[in-house]
Amino acid sequence: MARHCQLPVSQLTGRSRRHSLVQARAMAIYLVRKLAGLSLQQIGRYFDGRDHSTVLHAYRMAESLIEHDSVARQAVSQLGHSLECARTK
C-alpha cells in the first residue's frame, strides 16, 4: 500500500492524522487482516503500537470506503491480487 500511495512505510504506519494517510493506513490494515489473517493486536503492534479497537475502527472504515468508492475498491482488489500472487510464488 505504501508503494501504491507513494508513501514511506514510516508515514503509513506512523501517527499522522492527515486524511490521505488515514485512508491509506486503513486500506493497508484491511489488506493485512484479509490476506495475512493476523489478529487485531498483531496488526496494531506493527502500526505504531495501536490499540486493537483502533485497528478495528480502521478496518471497518476501509470496508465502508471499499463499499462506496469504486476507485478504492479497484485499488484494493488490484493490490490484494498482486500480494496473493507474490505470496504463492
Side-chain angles (χ1 to χ4, degrees), residues 22-67:
V22 169
Q23 284 190 334
R25 186 179 303 123
M27 302 300 253
I29 286 171
Y30 177 87
L31 284 169
V32 168
R33 180 84 169 142
K34 284 289 190 183
L35 298 176
L38 298 177
S39 72
L40 298 174
Q41 292 85 1
Q42 290 171 313
I43 296 168
R45 279 194 295 271
Y46 180 77
F47 284 87
D48 203 27
R50 284 177 167 76
D51 185 79
H52 74 281
S53 61
T54 303
V55 174
L56 181 59
H57 175 74
Y59 180 84
R60 288 178 176 164
M61 184 176 73
E63 280 184 320
S64 178
L65 188 61
I66 292 164
E67 182 180 332

